[in-house]
Amino acid sequence: MRNIALRLRYDGSAYHGWQRQADLPTVQQTVEDAIAKILGHSVHVTGCGRTDAGVHALRYCANFRSDCTIPIGKVPLALNARLPGDIAVTDACEVDAGFNAIGSCIQKEYIYKILNSRIPDPFLDKRVCFYPSRLDIDEMRAAAKAFEGTHDFAAVRSVGTETKTTVRTVYWCDAEREGDLITVRVCADGFLYNMVRAMVGTMVYASYGKLRAEDIPALLETRDRRLTGPTMPPQGLYMHRVWYDGPAGEMMADT
């Protein structure tokens, strides 16, 4: 039995997230259906994270098991011929039997894009968060740094998927502005439900003086979601990078 890892990218605008749901279009179902058309039988595809409705991925890893004899180099071409234009498989490799796209992941990076302009851009519709009120990038950057380190992040998560612990390690969190586009980058060993979107909302609050960057560690200690910023809209969020050891790590690295 082969264990095949895929590198994908997708625009999540038309999907209700990665995870298969009854009677709703999802990225997982679309990829599984494409694989089934090639193999002639159904497979289960494991993704590296549960992106929500409207969330995108610039770099995403998934794996499935099959006895198929298709040469690994032809797997992306075969799948892309059966996938819609908003999902693409950019690479594939064979991994060891114990590899699991979510369980073997070492760390992940998300980015969040804000179009901070009074005028919307129709070409960025559904791909950025349009925010017309002026944001203070210096205050946002200071707030971002306050999230770095190992903390209990219960105060910046939504009620949703159950988890054994709400403690995570954020390796870096920063914000930068290029013209009217603000990009927030967050890398951690794992993420809670809506964690990045709530972190960005807290950074926006800091921009307006509704809280201070130096308040954030104490706010995290309260574990009270009501005290931090709002959950930002999904369309600005992208899974950006994922890290692994071995062949999957080489496939997912910068190219």
Side-chain angles (χ1 to χ4, degrees):
M1 180 74 71
R2 302 166 75 190
N3 191 3
I4 297 174
L6 306 174
R7 175 171 167 167
L8 306 97
R9 57 193 290 126
Y10 56 83
D11 180 333
S13 302
Y15 302 97
H16 288 259
W18 164 266
Q19 188 166 318
R20 180 184 283 269
Q21 300 181 49
D23 303 321
L24 292 172
T26 66
V27 181
Q28 180 185 22
Q29 177 183 341
T30 305
V31 173
E32 288 179 346
D33 289 350
I35 295 173
K37 290 177 182 177
I38 296 170
L39 303 183
H41 62 81
S42 61
V43 298
H44 174 76
V45 177
T46 300
C48 63
R50 184 180 175 178
T51 58
D52 295 324
V55 175
H56 317 293
L58 296 171
R59 199 175 316 185
Y60 190 94
C61 185
N63 74 290
F64 68 96
R65 291 170 171 79
S66 173
D67 289 325
C68 71
T69 58
I70 301 173
I72 197 66
K74 294 185 178 180
V75 169
L77 292 175
L79 283 174
N80 288 331
R82 293 160 177 83
L83 285 169
D86 51 9
I87 302 174
V89 176
T90 60
D91 205 350
C93 70
E94 292 196 44
V95 289
D96 63 63
F99 177 86
N100 177 285
I102 190 166
S104 301
C105 186
I106 299 169
Q107 63 189 52
K108 304 174 187 176
E109 182 187 60
Y110 282 90
I111 62 174
Y112 194 90
K113 297 184 179 184
I114 301 172
L115 180 62
N116 192 208
S117 169
R118 295 180 63 185
I119 301 173
D121 185 338
F123 293 101
L124 296 179
D125 184 48
K126 296 184 176 64
R127 293 180 177 86
V128 296
C129 169
F130 174 59
Y131 203 93
S133 299
R134 186 70 176 178
L135 293 170
D136 187 324
I137 190 63
D138 292 330
E139 292 295 335
M140 291 184 68
R141 188 177 292 118
K145 292 301 177 186
F147 285 114
E148 293 181 345
T150 301
H151 306 283
D152 188 327
F153 285 94
V156 284
R157 75 149 179 175
S158 299
V159 175
T161 306
E162 292 299 319
T163 182
K164 292 180 180 179
T165 176
T166 51
V167 174
R168 297 291 187 271
T169 298
V170 172
Y171 300 116
W172 62 77
C173 183
D174 57 41
E176 60 183 21
R177 177 189 285 274
E178 185 174 350
D180 291 330
L181 186 65
I182 293 174
T183 302
V184 177
R185 298 177 183 272
V186 187
C187 179
D189 58 357
F191 291 90
L192 304 170
Y193 183 47
N194 283 342
M195 177 174 157
V196 175
R197 291 162 59 189
M199 290 170 66
V200 176
T202 304
M203 294 164 62
V204 169
Y205 263 20
S207 172
Y208 287 119
K210 291 186 177 181
L211 54 83
R212 299 175 300 170
E214 52 265 35
D215 296 333
I216 290 175
L219 292 175
L220 292 178
E221 288 182 7
T222 69
R223 306 184 76 252
D224 191 338
R225 180 69 187 90
R226 297 170 297 178
L227 301 180
T228 54
T231 300
M232 299 294 282
Q235 64 266 23
L237 186 62
Y238 297 71
M239 181 172 283
H240 186 231
R241 298 177 66 189
V242 285
W243 283 261
Y244 299 93
D245 290 326
E250 296 176 6
M251 178 182 70
M252 300 302 296
D254 287 324
T255 54

